[in-house]
Amino acid sequence: MPVPHDDAPAEAVGPLLRGVAVLRALTAASQQQLSLGDLARATGLARATTDRIAATLARLGYLRVDGRTAALAPALMEVGNAYLASVRLPDLLGPIADRLADTLDESVSLAVPDGAGIRFVHQATRRRTLSLSFRIGDLLPLERTAPGPLFAALWSEDDWRAWSARGPEPFPALPQALGDVPDLRVRALAAARDGWALDDQLIEPGLVALAVPVHDATGALVCALSVVSHTSRHSAPDLRAALLPALADARDTMEAVLRAPTGRTGQATSAASPCTGRTATAAATAASKDELGADFIESLARGLLVPTAFGAERPELSLSAVAEATGLARATARRALITLEHLGYVTTTGRSFRLTPTVLELGYAPLSRLSLAELAAPHLADLVTQVHDSASMAVLDGHDIRYTARVAASRVMSVRISVGTRFPAYATAMGRVLLAALPVGACDALLAGEELRPLTAHTLTAPAALAAALDRARADGHAVVTGELEDGLRSIAVPIHAADGRVLAAVNVSMHTARRSLDECRATVLPALRAAAARIEADLAVAGRFAPTPVA
Ligand code: PHB
């Protein structure tokens, strides 16, 4: 994938173009990681340039560089989040789509047109073994989908010409060998006449989809609402007969929301702060430059600040508003916007700028597929490097904790535990943190059915003693268990919270008691453990903003 900047306007920021090329190459790579050498080859950039870009992107939190390997990092999703927040469709319409999915027990999605494709901005997915499941940010070829003809129904002759001249775009979400596709013009005419469109197994054998258009208060088509099923449940004609009324009802509810005053895409307000939660500004990039020197490409970092200036209260911004929000000089902000427009990430109407769904191509779909355990793994590895003892993540599963991630310290004496291992929650530090987070009634009910067996001579087996230990875990925000699961083993654990405050998992460090006293453990391990938990929670907040992160 050579760097696409031959046709870039003269004022475009070269380093920003090259940085985006690196992010796109990593998005296209299997596992979203490449050696720095392969990254240089994939982008056509010089190796030294690639290294400096990778160092800059790593500093921004968008890449993780481990030795010679670069991988996309979840913080990059804040760029896509800025688009999703600013377009407001997921926030306003997502809950209605979720309710429809529950009612129908089928997958429901919202998609917008994006060049020669449709891109998903919301997914309410029912897990089925038989079909593909798509994520927010996935792009499908428009002519193979149900929403496609609805969008094409509004095309001008220029749009059709652009469509005919389209290049061979990659569609990474698409399965390989696909059959013939019916004429899009014919389907677009039918969609305009009927107000709905079907995909009868054009994406994948067995996959059928039905879509209707959703309009805003001005009558503009803003997205398509689709229900996706499988031929084992509905043939395509049957899907339309059975589900069109419910789909049309949900669409009417969505259009009513978009007509309500809060549903309008508000005018840009210049005073509000960007919604991304990051305080990244020009001042921060300058500080990074001071620290990293020649390895930090400030113009790339500055350019990537621009998308995060957009948000729910700031869907459209003038050049001055972008400069103000980012702290960039007007001329710098202008060149960044020109570059982003060239890349297709920004569009202009008059004097205002908006993000486009194409920014979601920067890693959004693959990063949103990461589970909580996968988000946690690099942070647990960093923690192990700091404390030289093993670190793990576990979830509550009935009366047990179940390990979902584990990074072993490379010491001969380390405890052998692997992902999937279960232990009784009451006798472990992670279990106590997880039990302590349950509503009191639920915790009592869970423990009422459980015999507290002594696993060692130290296991707390008196219900009152366990209740006191859980109270302490609640008050302290951590739990320590020494020798209750196994003699000589100490574990210290803290909870992992979702952005809404729910405890989803626990992380711990486990060690032999001879390694540190209890006080030393609290003094040295706990701060490192808490910091790792905070980094995991920060990734989770970005990754889970619009799509629930799979927990295990
Ligand atoms: C489609 O193939 O048209 C399709 C697939 C998945 C969706 C929506 C539409 O969520």
Side-chain angles (χ1 to χ4, degrees):
M1 193 194 300
V3 181
H5 63 112
D6 294 348
D7 57 342
E11 286 171 288
V13 182
L16 180 53
L17 291 171
R18 292 188 277 279
V20 164
V22 162
L23 292 171
R24 291 171 65 172
L26 283 166
T27 304
S30 66
Q31 312 294 313
Q32 283 68 59
Q33 65 171 46
L34 286 172
S35 73
L36 291 168
D38 285 345
L39 193 52
R41 272 184 288 284
T43 53
L45 295 169
R47 176 56 199 272
T49 308
T50 309
D51 287 3
R52 291 176 66 224
I53 290 171
T56 304
L57 293 171
R59 176 68 181 207
L60 298 175
Y62 291 169
L63 285 195
R64 172 169 279 276
V65 181
D66 252 344
R68 317 232 126 250
T69 305
L72 292 183
L76 176 60
M77 292 174 76
E78 72 179 5
V79 175
N81 284 348
Y83 161 75
L84 292 168
S86 67
V87 77
R88 303 195 68 201
L89 299 174
D91 282 332
L92 292 173
L93 310 185
I96 304 168
D98 294 348
R99 278 201 297 281
L100 180 64
D102 286 342
T103 310
L104 302 179
D105 194 24
E106 299 282 4
S107 294
V108 169
S109 65
L110 296 173
V112 296
D114 187 3
I118 67 154
R119 203 177 286 276
F120 293 111
V121 296
H122 184 77
Q123 281 285 350
T125 308
R126 291 288 159 281
R127 293 239 162 266
R128 309 260 198 215
T129 44
L130 276 174
S131 56
L132 294 171
S133 85
F134 299 110
R135 300 290 289 180
I136 295 175
D138 273 328
L139 184 74
L140 294 180
L142 184 137
E143 79 277 20
R144 292 193 171 273
T145 65
L150 299 171
F151 299 140
L154 301 178
W155 281 355
S156 66
E157 274 314 310
D158 276 353
D159 293 329
W160 281 106
R161 262 193 296 279
W163 157 258
S164 307
R166 71 192 182 281
E169 257 190 83
F171 291 98
L174 202 61
Q176 288 312 303
L178 293 170
D180 289 345
V181 62
D183 189 86
L184 181 61
R185 279 200 189 249
V186 174
R187 289 175 72 216
L189 283 172
R193 182 193 63 216
D194 300 334
W196 51 264
L198 280 171
D199 157 20
D200 189 356
Q201 308 180 69
L202 300 177
I203 290 283
E204 191 193 38
L207 188 150
V208 284
L210 169 66
V212 294
V214 183
H215 301 92
D216 70 8
T218 71
L221 173 54
V222 289
C223 65
L225 167 67
S226 307
V227 58
V228 190
S229 188
H230 193 271
T231 45
S232 58
R233 295 189 296 284
H234 293 286
S235 69
D238 173 41
L239 183 69
R240 184 188 58 73
L243 303 189
L244 183 58
L247 200 62
D249 275 355
R251 184 264 314 278
D252 293 348
T253 309
M254 290 182 174
E255 292 186 344
V257 166
L258 294 174
R259 277 196 304 274
T262 49
R264 295 211 189 106
T265 16
Q267 284 305 301
T269 50
S270 63
S273 63
C275 80
T276 56
R278 291 241 300 189
T279 44
T281 58
T285 67
S288 296
K289 181 72 188 166
D290 286 345
E291 224 175 288
L292 294 189
D295 277 342
F296 189 77
I297 308 171
E298 212 174 352
S299 53
L300 167 56
R302 286 176 176 153
L304 288 174
L305 284 179
V306 167
T308 63
F310 294 83
E313 305 304 320
R314 317 164 56 81
E316 283 187 23
L317 296 174
S318 65
L319 168 58
S320 314
V322 169
E324 194 190 327
T326 54
L328 295 174
R330 247 180 98 87
T332 311
R334 185 172 153 274
R335 287 191 58 198
L337 284 163
I338 289 171
T339 314
L340 294 169
E341 188 174 6
H342 168 71
L343 288 163
Y345 297 162
V346 157
T347 59
T348 48
T349 349
R351 294 176 157 271
S352 56
F353 297 87
R354 262 179 305 125
L355 291 178
T356 74
T358 314
V359 296
L360 293 167
E361 78 176 11
L362 298 176
Y364 203 91
L367 286 168
S368 82
R369 286 190 165 85
L370 295 179
S371 67
L372 179 55
E374 289 167 322
L375 290 182
H379 301 295
L380 295 179
D382 290 346
L383 177 60
V384 169
T385 311
Q386 277 176 276
V387 300
H388 308 291
D389 272 305
S390 303
S392 308
M393 173 176 268
V395 295
L396 200 57
D397 191 346
H399 292 183
D400 293 336
I401 59 163
R402 177 167 47 81
Y403 280 73
T404 56
R406 169 130 177 118
V407 178
S410 49
R411 25 180 79 251
V412 188
M413 295 280 290
S414 78
V415 184
R416 304 237 164 269
I417 297 168
S418 53
V419 168
T421 297
R422 306 167 74 98
F423 290 123
Y426 67 86
T428 63
M430 287 197 282
R432 290 202 185 149
V433 156
L434 292 167
L435 290 172
L438 292 176
V440 176
C443 183
D444 291 347
L446 191 71
L447 292 172
E450 165 117 79
E451 183 203 347
L452 305 179
R453 285 179 300 115
L455 305 173
T456 71
H458 306 285
T459 313
L460 293 187
T461 53
L466 180 61
L470 296 183
D471 285 345
R472 232 178 1 261
R474 236 172 258 125
D476 296 347
H478 75 272
V480 187
V481 164
T482 304
E484 296 189 44
L485 179 69
E486 196 175 311
D487 275 317
L489 181 67
R490 174 173 292 137
S491 159
I492 183 163
V494 298
I496 298 293
H497 301 88
D500 64 6
R502 278 175 311 131
V503 170
L504 300 183
V507 289
N508 85 334
V509 172
S510 61
M511 67 207 82
H512 283 267
T513 44
R515 288 264 293 149
R516 301 174 185 86
S517 71
L518 182 55
D519 284 348
E520 278 173 331
C521 175
R522 284 217 175 89
T524 61
V525 178
L526 186 56
L529 178 61
R530 286 215 160 109
R535 285 191 289 271
I536 295 168
E537 287 175 348
D539 276 356
L540 182 62
V542 178
R545 168 67 178 88
F546 288 101
T549 300
V551 168

